[in-house]
Amino acid sequence: MPQDDLHDQPLGAVPSATTSEALNVLGSDGLAPPLGDMSAEEFRHYGRSVVDYIANYFERVERFSVLAKVEPGALIARLPTEPPETGEPMEAIIADVDRLIVPALTHWSHPGFFAYFATSTSAPGIFGEMLSAAFDAKALLWRAAPATQELEEVTLAWLRQMIGLPEAFSGIIYDTASVSILHAIAAAREGLNLRVREDGMSGRPDLPLLRVYASEQAHSSVEKGVITLGLGQRSLRKIPTDAEFRMDPAALARAVAEDRAAGHLPFCVVATVGTTSTASIDPVPAIADICGRERLWLHVDAAYAGSAAVVPELRHILDGSERADSLVLNPHKWLMTPFDLSVLYTRRMEVLHRAFSLVPEYLRTLDQEQEAVRNHSEYGIQLGRRFRALRFWMVLRYFGRDGLAARIREHCRLARLFASWVESTPGWELLAPVPLSLVCFRACPPHDGEAADERAARLDRLNEQIMHAVNASGEAFLSHTKLHDRFTLRLAVGNIRTTEAHVARVWQLLRDACDRLAPADGA
Amino acid sequence: MPQDDLHDQPLGAVPSATTSEALNVLGSDGLAPPLGDMSAEEFRHYGRSVVDYIANYFERVERFSVLAKVEPGALIARLPTEPPETGEPMEAIIADVDRLIVPALTHWSHPGFFAYFATSTSAPGIFGEMLSAAFDAKALLWRAAPATQELEEVTLAWLRQMIGLPEAFSGIIYDTASVSILHAIAAAREGLNLRVREDGMSGRPDLPLLRVYASEQAHSSVEKGVITLGLGQRSLRKIPTDAEFRMDPAALARAVAEDRAAGHLPFCVVATVGTTSTASIDPVPAIADICGRERLWLHVDAAYAGSAAVVPELRHILDGSERADSLVLNPHKWLMTPFDLSVLYTRRMEVLHRAFSLVPEYLRTLDQEQEAVRNHSEYGIQLGRRFRALRFWMVLRYFGRDGLAARIREHCRLARLFASWVESTPGWELLAPVPLSLVCFRACPPHDGEAADERAARLDRLNEQIMHAVNASGEAFLSHTKLHDRFTLRLAVGNIRTTEAHVARVWQLLRDACDRLAPADGA
């Protein structure tokens, strides 16, 4: 499949408004008026052009290289170093999106995107973003955006039921999982009742070292969270994992006991349901037992995998999570919702409120009835909040629970299918179990008369080369991790457009690359 | 101007795809297919409907009540408590946006929106959001989204030149000013070289109390920042302001000296250019002198007012800011850019990097040439980052520097004009200077034989009633603050659709309300 040169074949030629019959009456030249915004007629004209452009993009996305084929700095070099002094016609700007921006994109909407966690935007989500950008509501407080606040409550109650969390959990939307987890740990800190909010942690000789626990496989956002919160990297104790990359609860219990003996103060455990490297699932019930006994805040990071609980036969992945204090799930990862939309559920909303509530005079409402309503900005760092719930509501309604479950189920089936090919092919191996839609694997063609360390180094090099070769094809994009110090290829299925044909194609590309790079002995 | 009942007059009837000639061939029923996303043909169809809907919305936005006329919980009550089991047709969803969501909106895009800081979305910004939602790029690192990273650098270099900051500043886009300021204070903390990142602040008897300074008029996000960062409310020392609500530099110098004498560790000062209550401008040059002498990180909060520096004759508002360590400016406030897009500039990007860099194995790139490229996710809490620069680039190009300056200049003219009416009308008074587009004022009709405290209480009540009356009209929306303990009305001009007629109308509404609520003596 050759890649288009987008210069020669622009996705959508945008007619100038002056040539459009409907717009002639306006005498428009595609330029901004002296004051105000574009007229409604022009908005219709150019808006439709953008819609057509996006439709063309989705129709033709497979003609593009998934991974951008640009050198660092190439886009910067093609753009003026000085700002535009006067306005430019809208058609010139849209043409430049096609000419300059699209070639410098890595295409997350390409069905051959298998890197990191593959994710998916969707039509209803895009429509929701269009409307949000037009309404441009800033949910500083209820009265500033009643629909934003209330639709957030409704959609999060729906999602809670869809994944089988008890009613005791209520939710809030943040932008990213990194921000959600930071809020969870901050709430856990507030739950200590050590006056950290009021008095802080500096100049406090009375404060012991506060400890957070997470597995070696936990996401880096846990570490970034403790850094930001002033707890420091020292406060994070990483707990070993078993052969299948799951936290060892016995090791957790020992670590907590050791820390208490040393005079430290354990207060929070982050369990992961669906780790980033392998999608492994920590034994949450056993971890919840320890947290209950030790009175530790249990946060469950289900940012990727939590969505799978929408599928009835996969709901068990959240077993034990009903005992958590908080849980994060990212609809922008696996619920067909455009980035960014991360959900934090907690059974202890009042602690989150205590940690973050702050209402200055210029936001104090005078309407007494509003005390009945939750102001989400009192539950987080951000005062202004986007109308994220709108597109989530449109996605949930358009696909329905069944439709979302069908897509997630299919992604898991494709991952298992790919894993079965890896398993049944000599010279290839799985490097981790495949509980959901992520496959960790590598090529391991034999080579005679090789010491163990030579073999390890050879396979690391080979798999890295294979990955680069596949990514350079433009037809697929894989990323990697390290497992037991071995370079590991990751195939993550998660895009709404990915079908069995795409998974078969990347498997072909992988084998071809391996055959080229490591010809069979005697070849 | 009567308000429409949106039920009777929906903004845009969305024809079912089945009735559309172009779509008949697809046999579509507006429902999601069994797998995958909506077809490109359907995307075109419904996308155009949404564009038309938005165009209608902008054309008719003045028929709506600016402030939503709904009771708390009304939207929740109109929505199902259980999630949709199966998908629903797109036309039903769009119809419900019109029937349920729009009536529960406070209309930030209404030209009569004068509350908080009035802000503005714009057509090029909406088009940028549409494209961003389709591309759905997550800038985890350069290769995952080269255009995102590079367009961010280009647009922020443009904006830097537009506001006259020196080249030593480089920028990064976050979501909100609250997040930007948190990062600025975190960088300042890291700049202390006290191993806060590594060792944290708990269990550190060696750490003195760390101190941050901001004026009494500073935004609440400063306080929320120190709370989040574990510095605590105690770490924030609020400095008194002068009669015009500007930080008193002498008081700052005294506070720093006192704190040093007490064994505390001053490290950061937040100066505000355009405070939230009155748009007052702290004397940044004098504050920068103190910060230089005392080696304190100077952060300038120009979230609202910084945009005004695009206007040549207003550039002076950033005098002294060229000596700051960091500065925040929100294009989503006054640069016609849909929410959310906040910019942090800093001369000490390497300190910000030291505070937040963390690259896990699964994100380590193997391409050596990429070391030349900045990975923005290493400069902040969020790992995934939206393609915010796209819509900002489209806004900057469509309006140009001249076009943005013209709009901001006009908003300031309208504010001054309104202020002149207040000043020249007996029974009304200004309560603060009007440096930009915000007017603080109140009604103060005389009343014979009244003690000072009676008068104060009466005027507070009256102005609160006037505000509610004007907001209840549906034609305008004002918010309030307290200045010198007086209930103060705020008129903030910032929407792209606001014209002199709208400002004249709110002035009429205010006077009418006052006349009704406080008839002249003898009436």
Side-chain angles (χ1 to χ4, degrees):
Chain A
M1 287 188 237
Q3 306 305 318
D4 278 359
D5 179 346
L6 293 172
H7 290 261
D8 298 337
Q9 305 188 17
L11 279 179
V14 179
S16 164
T18 51
T19 67
S20 157
E21 197 181 352
L23 291 171
N24 265 341
V25 292
L26 301 173
S28 166
D29 52 6
L31 284 168
L35 288 177
D37 197 7
M38 186 182 287
S39 74
E41 273 315 301
E42 286 173 302
F43 184 87
R44 263 181 262 275
H45 173 79
Y46 292 109
R48 287 170 181 207
S49 296
V50 174
V51 166
D52 286 344
Y53 186 87
I54 293 171
N56 291 349
Y57 174 74
F58 284 139
E59 273 189 319
R60 304 179 197 173
V61 66
E62 291 189 57
R63 300 195 198 170
F64 309 157
S65 173
V66 192
L67 183 62
K69 288 189 169 170
V70 288
E71 293 299 306
L75 177 60
I76 292 174
R78 297 180 72 186
L79 292 168
T81 55
E82 294 189 357
E85 197 56 42
T86 57
E88 298 173 57
M90 186 47 69
E91 36 281 270
I93 300 168
I94 299 177
D96 278 353
V97 169
D98 189 55
R99 191 173 65 88
L100 300 169
I101 305 302
V102 171
L105 285 174
T106 288
H107 296 279
W108 289 71
S109 294
H110 191 300
F113 190 106
F114 297 109
Y116 317 122
F117 281 116
T119 60
S120 203
T121 188
S122 67
I126 295 167
F127 298 157
E129 274 298 55
M130 292 162 66
L131 291 163
S132 292
F135 300 146
D136 203 33
K138 286 140 195 105
L140 310 169
L141 69 180
W142 179 84
R143 66 173 358 200
T148 302
Q149 299 264 145
E150 298 196 9
L151 204 58
E152 184 163 332
E153 290 194 31
V154 169
T155 53
L156 297 194
W158 288 0
L159 177 62
R160 180 185 57 68
Q161 296 170 68
M162 288 168 65
I163 61 173
L165 274 189
E167 222 179 320
F169 283 84
S170 60
I172 179 164
I173 295 176
Y174 297 117
D175 51 334
T176 61
S178 297
V179 167
S180 291
I181 205 165
L182 183 151
H183 281 89
I185 301 173
R189 183 178 71 178
E190 182 63 23
L192 286 169
N193 294 316
L194 287 173
R195 295 185 57 83
V196 171
R197 174 191 164 105
E198 295 82 2
D199 298 340
M201 298 186 290
S202 73
R204 293 279 304 268
D206 59 310
L207 275 191
L209 173 63
L210 308 183
R211 278 282 204 192
V212 180
Y213 306 82
S215 94
E216 294 164 350
Q217 294 289 320
H219 191 265
S220 59
S221 57
V222 180
E223 189 166 339
K224 207 171 258 190
V226 296
I227 289 170
T228 306
L229 292 166
L231 296 161
Q233 290 168 304
R234 184 173 69 136
S235 71
L236 176 59
R237 187 156 174 176
K238 295 187 180 170
I239 306 299
T241 53
D242 65 15
E244 298 190 352
F245 309 102
R246 299 170 300 199
M247 187 192 286
D248 174 0
L252 171 65
R254 278 196 304 275
V256 171
E258 272 174 25
D259 280 350
R260 290 212 193 276
H264 306 326
L265 182 54
F267 77 103
C268 182
V269 176
V270 178
T272 309
V273 171
T275 58
T276 307
S277 279
T278 71
S280 63
I281 296 170
D282 285 343
V284 177
I287 294 168
D289 287 344
I290 295 167
C291 290
R293 205 161 57 227
E294 299 280 347
R295 298 182 163 277
L296 308 177
W297 182 291
L298 173 57
H299 175 73
V300 173
D301 175 1
Y304 152 65
S307 299
V310 169
V311 184
E313 66 269 26
L314 292 174
R315 185 156 302 156
H316 63 84
I317 62 167
L318 291 186
D319 283 354
S321 290
E322 73 284 354
R323 295 158 65 194
D325 296 281
S326 56
L327 176 144
V328 63
L329 184 163
N330 282 3
H332 70 233
K333 276 207 173 67
W334 209 4
L335 286 178
M336 322 304 151
T337 303
F339 191 57
D340 50 5
L341 201 159
S342 174
V343 175
L344 182 72
Y345 283 108
T346 177
R347 285 193 292 119
R348 302 179 68 184
M349 204 45 117
E350 79 290 353
V351 182
L352 188 63
H353 183 259
R354 227 161 61 211
F356 287 101
S357 174
L358 197 67
V359 184
E361 181 60 37
Y362 45 80
L363 288 180
R364 213 151 272 166
T365 65
L366 304 159
D367 315 288
Q368 287 311 309
E369 77 277 6
Q370 292 184 10
E371 287 177 9
V373 182
R374 187 191 293 162
N375 277 331
H376 286 139
S377 62
E378 291 181 51
Y379 294 79
I381 297 168
Q382 287 109 338
L383 179 61
R385 310 179 75 251
R386 285 211 301 145
F387 195 177
R388 294 188 176 88
L390 181 58
R391 67 182 189 280
F392 190 40
W393 177 69
M394 293 176 73
V395 165
L396 291 176
R397 289 189 61 182
Y398 181 67
F399 294 109
R401 183 212 299 249
D402 278 1
L404 292 168
R407 285 161 180 80
I408 291 169
R409 188 183 287 121
E410 172 69 1
H411 291 163
C412 294
R413 184 187 76 80
L414 294 176
R416 281 195 309 274
L417 181 65
F418 181 88
S420 73
W421 297 334
V422 170
E423 262 189 312
S424 62
T425 305
W428 290 85
E429 64 180 342
L430 293 180
L431 294 181
V434 183
L436 295 164
S437 72
L438 173 66
V439 185
C440 291
F441 66 103
R442 69 169 177 176
C444 53
H447 193 76
D448 286 342
E450 195 179 37
D453 58 340
E454 286 170 353
R455 175 177 146 86
R458 174 178 61 88
L459 293 183
D460 278 3
R461 264 197 320 276
L462 172 64
N463 282 281
E464 186 180 327
Q465 289 170 332
I466 290 173
M467 183 179 79
H468 285 305
V470 170
N471 291 351
S473 77
E475 291 187 61
F477 175 29
L478 299 176
S479 61
H480 77 287
T481 190
K482 275 202 173 155
L483 296 177
H484 298 313
D485 214 37
R486 293 180 296 195
F487 188 95
T488 303
L489 298 170
R490 288 171 78 264
L491 179 104
V493 185
N495 191 283
I496 197 168
R497 293 168 202 283
T498 300
T499 66
E500 190 168 324
H502 299 102
V503 175
R505 179 66 189 155
V506 69
W507 177 232
Q508 183 67 49
L509 291 167
L510 284 159
R511 281 179 305 153
D512 288 353
C514 183
D515 289 348
R516 269 200 319 278
L517 292 160
D521 282 349
Chain B
M1 287 186 235
Q3 304 307 315
D4 278 359
D5 177 346
L6 293 172
H7 290 262
D8 297 336
Q9 304 188 20
L11 279 181
V14 179
S16 163
T18 52
T19 66
S20 158
E21 197 182 354
L23 291 170
N24 265 342
V25 291
L26 300 172
S28 167
D29 52 6
L31 285 167
L35 288 176
D37 197 7
M38 187 183 287
S39 72
E41 272 316 301
E42 286 173 302
F43 185 87
R44 264 181 261 275
H45 173 79
Y46 293 109
R48 288 169 181 207
S49 296
V50 175
V51 165
D52 286 345
Y53 186 87
I54 293 171
N56 291 349
Y57 174 74
F58 285 139
E59 273 188 320
R60 303 180 198 173
V61 67
E62 291 188 60
R63 300 195 198 170
F64 310 157
S65 172
V66 193
L67 183 62
K69 287 189 169 170
V70 289
E71 293 300 305
L75 177 60
I76 291 174
R78 296 181 72 186
L79 291 168
T81 55
E82 295 190 356
E85 195 57 42
T86 57
E88 297 174 58
M90 186 47 69
E91 37 279 272
I93 300 168
I94 299 176
D96 278 353
V97 169
D98 188 54
R99 190 173 64 88
L100 300 169
I101 305 302
V102 170
L105 285 174
T106 288
H107 296 278
W108 290 70
S109 295
H110 191 300
F113 190 108
F114 297 109
Y116 317 124
F117 280 117
T119 60
S120 202
T121 188
S122 67
I126 295 168
F127 298 157
E129 274 297 55
M130 291 163 67
L131 292 164
S132 292
F135 301 146
D136 203 32
K138 286 139 195 108
L140 311 169
L141 69 180
W142 179 84
R143 66 172 358 200
T148 302
Q149 300 264 145
E150 298 195 10
L151 204 58
E152 185 162 332
E153 290 193 31
V154 169
T155 52
L156 297 195
W158 287 0
L159 177 62
R160 180 186 58 69
Q161 295 169 68
M162 287 167 66
I163 60 172
L165 274 189
E167 222 178 321
F169 284 84
S170 60
I172 180 164
I173 296 176
Y174 298 117
D175 50 335
T176 60
S178 297
V179 167
S180 291
I181 205 166
L182 183 151
H183 281 89
I185 301 173
R189 183 178 72 178
E190 182 62 25
L192 285 169
N193 293 317
L194 287 172
R195 295 187 57 83
V196 171
R197 175 193 163 104
E198 295 82 2
D199 298 340
M201 297 186 290
S202 73
R204 293 279 306 266
D206 59 310
L207 276 192
L209 174 62
L210 308 183
R211 278 281 204 195
V212 180
Y213 306 82
S215 94
E216 293 165 350
Q217 294 288 321
H219 191 263
S220 59
S221 57
V222 180
E223 189 165 340
K224 208 171 257 191
V226 297
I227 290 171
T228 305
L229 292 166
L231 296 161
Q233 290 168 303
R234 183 174 68 136
S235 71
L236 175 60
R237 187 157 175 174
K238 294 187 181 172
I239 306 299
T241 52
D242 65 16
E244 297 191 353
F245 309 103
R246 299 170 300 198
M247 186 192 286
D248 174 0
L252 171 65
R254 279 195 304 276
V256 170
E258 273 174 23
D259 280 349
R260 290 210 193 276
H264 306 326
L265 182 55
F267 77 103
C268 181
V269 177
V270 178
T272 309
V273 171
T275 57
T276 307
S277 279
T278 70
S280 64
I281 296 170
D282 285 343
V284 178
I287 294 169
D289 286 344
I290 295 167
C291 290
R293 203 162 58 228
E294 299 281 348
R295 298 182 161 277
L296 307 177
W297 182 291
L298 173 57
H299 175 73
V300 173
D301 177 0
Y304 152 66
S307 299
V310 169
V311 184
E313 66 270 26
L314 293 174
R315 185 155 302 157
H316 62 85
I317 61 166
L318 290 187
D319 283 354
S321 290
E322 72 285 353
R323 295 160 63 194
D325 296 281
S326 56
L327 177 144
V328 63
L329 184 164
N330 282 2
H332 70 232
K333 276 206 174 66
W334 208 5
L335 285 177
M336 322 305 152
T337 303
F339 190 55
D340 49 4
L341 202 160
S342 174
V343 175
L344 182 72
Y345 283 108
T346 177
R347 285 194 291 118
R348 302 179 67 186
M349 205 43 118
E350 78 292 352
V351 182
L352 188 64
H353 184 259
R354 225 161 63 212
F356 287 102
S357 173
L358 196 67
V359 184
E361 180 60 37
Y362 45 81
L363 288 180
R364 212 149 270 164
T365 65
L366 304 159
D367 315 287
Q368 287 312 310
E369 77 276 6
Q370 293 185 10
E371 288 178 9
V373 182
R374 188 192 293 163
N375 278 330
H376 286 139
S377 63
E378 292 181 52
Y379 294 78
I381 297 167
Q382 288 109 335
L383 179 60
R385 311 180 75 251
R386 286 212 300 146
F387 195 176
R388 294 188 177 89
L390 180 59
R391 66 182 189 280
F392 189 41
W393 177 69
M394 293 175 72
V395 165
L396 291 176
R397 288 189 61 182
Y398 182 67
F399 294 108
R401 184 211 301 248
D402 277 1
L404 292 168
R407 284 160 180 82
I408 292 169
R409 187 182 287 121
E410 173 69 1
H411 291 163
C412 294
R413 183 187 76 81
L414 294 176
R416 280 195 310 272
L417 182 65
F418 181 89
S420 73
W421 297 334
V422 171
E423 263 189 312
S424 61
T425 305
W428 291 84
E429 65 180 340
L430 293 181
L431 295 181
V434 183
L436 296 165
S437 71
L438 173 67
V439 186
C440 291
F441 65 103
R442 68 170 178 177
C444 53
H447 192 77
D448 285 344
E450 194 180 36
D453 58 342
E454 285 170 353
R455 174 178 147 86
R458 173 178 62 88
L459 292 182
D460 278 1
R461 262 197 322 276
L462 172 64
N463 282 281
E464 186 180 327
Q465 288 169 335
I466 290 173
M467 182 179 80
H468 285 305
V470 170
N471 291 350
S473 77
E475 291 188 61
F477 175 29
L478 299 176
S479 60
H480 77 287
T481 190
K482 274 200 176 158
L483 296 178
H484 299 312
D485 214 37
R486 293 180 294 195
F487 188 95
T488 303
L489 298 170
R490 288 170 77 264
L491 179 104
V493 185
N495 191 283
I496 196 168
R497 294 167 200 283
T498 300
T499 66
E500 188 168 326
H502 299 102
V503 175
R505 179 65 188 154
V506 69
W507 177 231
Q508 183 67 47
L509 290 168
L510 284 158
R511 280 178 306 152
D512 288 352
C514 183
D515 289 347
R516 267 200 320 278
L517 291 160
D521 283 348

